[in-house]
Amino acid sequence: MKRFEFSRILNFNIEESLTKMDIYIGKELKEKTGQILFFTLILFIPSFTIRVIGIILLCSAMLVNDIKNKNVELLYFLPFSKRELFLYNLMFLVLIISITSAADKIYYNLTILEGLLVILKTIIALLAIYGISMLFTTLGHDGFIWSIVITIADALLGDLGSTNLNVADFNPYSLISFTKQGSMILAFLYAALICFLAYIAYVKKEG
């Protein structure tokens, strides 16, 4: 009996979350159709550099823009919690990134594994850029500008030296850089940490 009740509660929560996410995505698509469509088309271009630019633009048009223009307060009355807004927004962006990055498999005739690595590489960049833009916006700064500045700095620092541990000019940062990604695992952990810090800052901030 207890197991049955737990199952009902679990199913209800999942269903409710999916419904609320559907409402949130529908709202975003309705209000920002032009921007989302244009930036999504940019992401179809088979160039990692161009996609990074597209990610910065797409992130700036979503929840970051709502916070900056103080439109996010309306979402709290729908009601959406800060946790839900952060995660729904991120999941929506991951979905867009995954679909657009998968186009590389066709364009470059990649294997399934190679295609998955392309998707993962772009998601790593997304986690870092989304985290940076959300973190600075939450702290009262321009998340769009700072995401550009830090991404450029990351690319410059990551490109210095070599990713090879056995050479004199080995650059440790190149391994965790979210643009260079000398080590995909370390880069993912670094990007995930940035995103997690942004999540904590946004959810915990008063108001």
Side-chain angles (χ1 to χ4, degrees):
M1 183 67 180
K2 289 184 177 179
R3 180 178 298 180
F4 173 73
E5 290 177 353
F6 175 77
S7 176
R8 286 184 58 189
I9 293 172
L10 182 61
N11 290 333
F12 173 78
N13 289 337
I14 293 174
E15 183 179 354
E16 181 183 36
S17 295
L18 290 175
T19 300
K20 292 179 77 172
M21 184 175 177
D22 183 59
I23 292 172
Y24 173 74
I25 292 176
K27 169 202 163 295
E28 291 293 276
L29 290 174
K30 182 178 180 181
E31 296 180 358
K32 305 168 185 175
T33 304
Q35 288 177 300
I36 292 175
L37 179 61
F38 178 71
F39 297 150
T40 299
L41 289 175
I42 291 177
L43 293 171
F44 275 107
I45 299 175
S47 164
F48 181 68
T49 301
I50 298 299
R51 282 190 178 138
V52 167
I53 295 173
I55 289 171
I56 292 174
L57 293 172
L58 191 57
C59 286
S60 69
M62 305 290 285
L63 184 56
V64 166
N65 185 63
D66 290 329
I67 297 172
K68 180 181 178 181
N69 295 319
K70 302 187 184 306
N71 295 328
V72 73
E73 300 297 331
L74 298 174
L75 295 174
Y76 299 148
F77 293 100
L78 284 181
F80 288 108
S81 67
K82 287 186 173 183
R83 173 182 172 277
E84 289 171 335
L85 288 175
F86 188 97
L87 295 177
Y88 293 163
N89 194 60
L90 178 58
M91 287 188 284
F92 181 45
L93 290 171
V94 168
L95 178 62
I96 293 176
I97 293 300
S98 299
I99 293 173
T100 52
S101 296
D104 275 12
K105 185 180 185 306
I106 300 174
Y107 187 86
Y108 291 114
N109 193 28
L110 303 176
T111 64
I112 293 177
L113 178 59
E114 290 172 334
L116 291 174
L117 290 177
V118 168
I119 295 173
L120 178 59
K121 183 178 181 179
T122 316
I123 288 177
I124 289 172
L126 168 65
L127 288 174
I129 293 170
Y130 177 66
I132 292 166
S133 59
M134 280 296 296
L135 181 59
F136 278 92
T137 301
T138 298
L139 297 176
H141 303 290
D142 192 324
F144 173 60
I145 297 299
W146 277 105
S147 63
I148 294 175
V149 171
I150 295 179
T151 299
I152 292 175
D154 180 88
L156 293 174
L157 290 173
D159 211 35
L160 294 174
S162 171
T163 59
N164 190 340
L165 288 163
N166 300 316
V167 298
D169 63 342
F170 167 63
N171 175 14
Y173 186 78
S174 66
L175 299 178
I176 65 171
S177 165
F178 59 86
T179 54
K180 181 71 173 179
Q181 298 184 24
S183 167
M184 219 171 228
I185 295 175
L186 294 178
F188 174 78
L189 293 175
Y190 179 52
L193 176 61
I194 294 174
C195 194
F196 178 70
L197 292 175
Y199 170 80
I200 294 298
Y202 177 60
V203 172
K204 297 297 182 182
K205 185 178 179 182
E206 295 181 1

